[in-house]
Amino acid sequence: MNATLHNDRLLRALLRQPVDATPVWLMRQAGRYLPEYRAARARAGSFMALCQTPEWACEVTLQPLARFPLDAAILFSDILTVPDAMGLGLTFSDGEGPQFARPLRSAADIARLAVPDPEAALRYVMDAVRLIRRELAGRVPLIGFAGSPWTLATYMVEGGSSKDYHRIKGLLYDQPGLLHRLLEVTAQAVTLYLNAQIAAGAQAVMIFDTWGGILTPRAYREFSLRYMAQIVAGLTREAENRAVPVILFTKGGGAWLEAIAATGCDAVGVDWTVDLGEVRRRIGTQVALQGNLDPAVLYAAPERIREQVAQVLADFGTGPGHVFNLGHGVQPGVDPERVGTLVAAVHELSASQPPHGDA
Ligand code: CP3
C-alpha cells in the first residue's frame, strides 16, 4: 500500500494539529446531486449493485474528487450493509428508501442474530476500500464509516425508514433487555466491521448516529452513547504508522456534546442547530469539531454561500481542530456548482485567516 499521503489536512485537523487551511469534505459528497452518480447508478442497475461491486463503489467514491478539491474521500457504501450481512435482506426501491425483507419482529429474531465476519459477508466493502486506496494513490485520506448500533437497530426493528419509530420505542420501553441484546450484538458487529475497514486501508472512521436525537437524554446515554463508547474502546487507533482518528456524529445531539466528547473519540460531528463557537467553548479543547453549515445553504446564491461559510469559520474562530462539513448530507436537489463554491470558499477564507497553529 502506498503510505505517502500528499494532503493530510484532514487527519491533522482531526488530531487538532495545525493546518495551512481548514480541510473540507461533505457528508453524501457522492450522491444524487451529481449527474455522473445518477448515470453510474443507472448503468449499475441499483444502489446495492453500486455498493456491492468494488469497481463501481470506487468510481462513485472518486466522482466528487474529480470535480472539487475536497480534502477527503469517503467510502461509497451504506450503514445498512451490516444488518444486510446479519441476514435481514436489504433492498432500496426507487423513492422508497431502504427496506428489509426480514425485519426483527420477535425475541427469537433477535436471539438468532450473529456477528458477521467482515472479510466474508462484507468482503465487497473491504475490496472497495483496498481498490479506492490504490486509486487515490495518497491524494487525500479515505474515511471509512458505520452506523451506530442504535441507528442500525431503528432500521432493523422498523423494517425501513419510519415516521414515528413506534416499534423501536415500544421495544425500548417494554423490553429494554431484549433491545440491549440487539445493541450488544450490533456493537460487536460494527467494531469488527470498522476494524476490518481500517485493516483494509481506511485512514479515519466515522460513526453515524442519525437517530440518537429522537431519544430522551437518559435513553440516549443508555441505548446509544454507551454502545458508541464501547465501539470507540474496541477500535484500532493506529495503522501505517499514523493515528486513525474516530469521529462520532449524533444528529440532534447538540445537548449532549460533552458526553459524546468524553467517549474517547478524536472528533465530534455537529449539526447546524448549535453554534460552533459555543460548542468549541464547551468541548473544543478535548476533541476536534466537524461541521456545521446548514445543508440548505447550498440552495442559496454563491455570494450567500460564501457569507455563510465565512460565518461558520468565524464561529469556530482561529486555532486548530476544525474540519468543515455540512450539519447533515448534501441534498439531492443541489446544483453541483454550489458545492464547488462552498469548497473554494472554505479553503480561501480559512487560509487568509491569520494563525492556524496556535490553540
Ligand atoms: O456520504 C457519502 O457520500 C458516503 C456514502 C453514504 C451513503 N449513505 C450513500 C447513500 C453514507 C455515509 C451513508 C450513510 C447512511 N445511510 C446513513 C447515515 C447518514 C445520514 O444520512 O444520516 C443513513 C441513515 C443511511 C440509510 C439510508 N441510505 C437511507 C435512509 C437512504 C434513503 C434515503 C435517501 O437519501 O435516499 C439511503 C440511500 C443512500 N445511501 C443513497 C446514497 C447516495 C441514495 C441512494 C440512491 O437513491 O441513489
Side-chain angles (χ1 to χ4, degrees):
M1 200 178 290
N2 183 351
T4 314
L5 183 56
H6 302 293
N7 173 351
D8 65 355
R9 273 179 194 147
L10 174 89
L11 299 184
R12 293 183 60 85
L14 288 172
L15 299 169
R16 300 192 307 121
Q17 295 166 358
V19 285
D20 60 333
T22 301
V24 53
W25 71 277
L26 305 178
M27 294 187 262
R28 292 278 166 100
Q29 63 188 25
R32 283 165 296 183
Y33 77 101
L34 289 176
E36 58 270 35
Y37 169 81
R38 297 194 298 270
R41 194 176 82 153
R43 276 182 285 136
S46 70
F47 172 71
M48 284 307 282
L50 284 182
C51 292
Q52 292 178 336
T53 314
E55 291 72 20
W56 279 123
C58 178
E59 179 174 329
V60 171
T61 299
L62 299 178
Q63 282 175 347
L65 294 151
R67 278 188 184 247
F68 318 116
L70 292 156
D71 295 295
I74 178 162
L75 165 70
F76 187 83
S77 189
D78 199 84
I79 62 168
L80 301 179
T81 56
V82 169
D84 183 56
M86 293 165 92
L88 276 70
L90 175 64
T91 53
F92 283 86
S93 43
D94 276 333
E96 296 282 316
Q99 247 158 2
F100 286 118
R102 292 171 292 281
L104 306 176
R105 286 290 144 78
S106 68
D109 289 344
I110 291 175
R112 212 177 292 128
L113 289 173
V115 174
D117 172 358
E119 280 289 356
L122 292 158
R123 170 137 212 144
Y124 62 89
V125 177
M126 306 314 147
D127 286 340
V129 169
R130 288 183 276 261
L131 184 58
I132 296 163
R133 275 298 301 276
R134 205 175 331 130
E135 293 293 316
L136 277 174
R139 256 191 296 161
V140 292
L142 176 63
I143 303 168
F145 70 90
S148 74
W150 164 256
T151 292
L152 295 179
T154 63
Y155 287 100
M156 294 164 88
V157 169
E158 298 289 339
S161 299
S162 173
K163 282 195 169 57
D164 57 6
Y165 303 94
H166 79 264
R167 287 198 165 91
I168 188 76
K169 286 224 166 175
L171 187 62
L172 185 155
Y173 290 112
D174 283 332
Q175 296 179 280
L178 195 54
L179 179 54
H180 277 303
R181 146 83 195 158
L182 168 56
L183 293 167
E184 177 62 41
V185 68
T186 307
Q188 287 174 23
V190 168
T191 306
L192 282 186
Y193 179 58
L194 286 176
N195 280 340
Q197 289 185 30
I198 292 165
Q203 291 152 295
V205 292
M206 174 155 165
I207 301 177
F208 287 89
D209 185 29
T210 306
W211 301 120
I214 69 169
L215 291 166
T216 65
R218 184 169 292 109
Y220 176 70
R221 286 194 301 275
E222 179 178 346
F223 296 97
S224 183
L225 189 64
R226 168 174 156 186
Y227 291 97
M228 290 199 285
Q230 184 180 314
I231 294 165
V232 171
L235 290 178
T236 309
R237 299 296 278 273
E238 201 187 301
E240 304 172 52
N241 295 315
R242 286 192 87 118
V244 179
V246 180
I247 311 160
L248 296 190
F249 172 59
T250 293
K251 184 163 173 280
W256 312 318
L257 296 169
E258 290 82 355
I260 299 171
T263 56
C265 65
D266 298 285
V268 173
V270 272
D271 70 21
W272 65 92
T273 64
V274 284
D275 179 285
L276 209 52
E278 279 170 34
V279 175
R280 193 172 180 204
R281 285 188 285 282
R282 283 165 60 193
I283 62 165
T285 54
Q286 301 163 57
V287 289
L289 303 179
Q290 177 173 281
N292 71 342
L293 187 73
D294 178 356
V297 167
L298 287 172
Y299 290 117
E303 227 6 76
R304 301 286 90 73
I305 295 174
R306 282 177 62 87
E307 283 168 15
Q308 294 296 319
V309 165
Q311 187 63 62
V312 169
L313 291 170
D315 288 344
F316 181 84
T318 54
H322 184 205
V323 173
F324 200 100
N325 207 315
L326 302 175
H328 200 210
V330 183
Q331 291 166 8
V334 161
D335 175 351
E337 287 204 14
R338 305 291 160 95
V339 172
T341 300
L342 180 160
V343 173
V346 173
H347 287 152
E348 247 176 75
L349 299 172
S350 66
S352 63
Q353 271 180 8
H356 272 273
D358 312 310

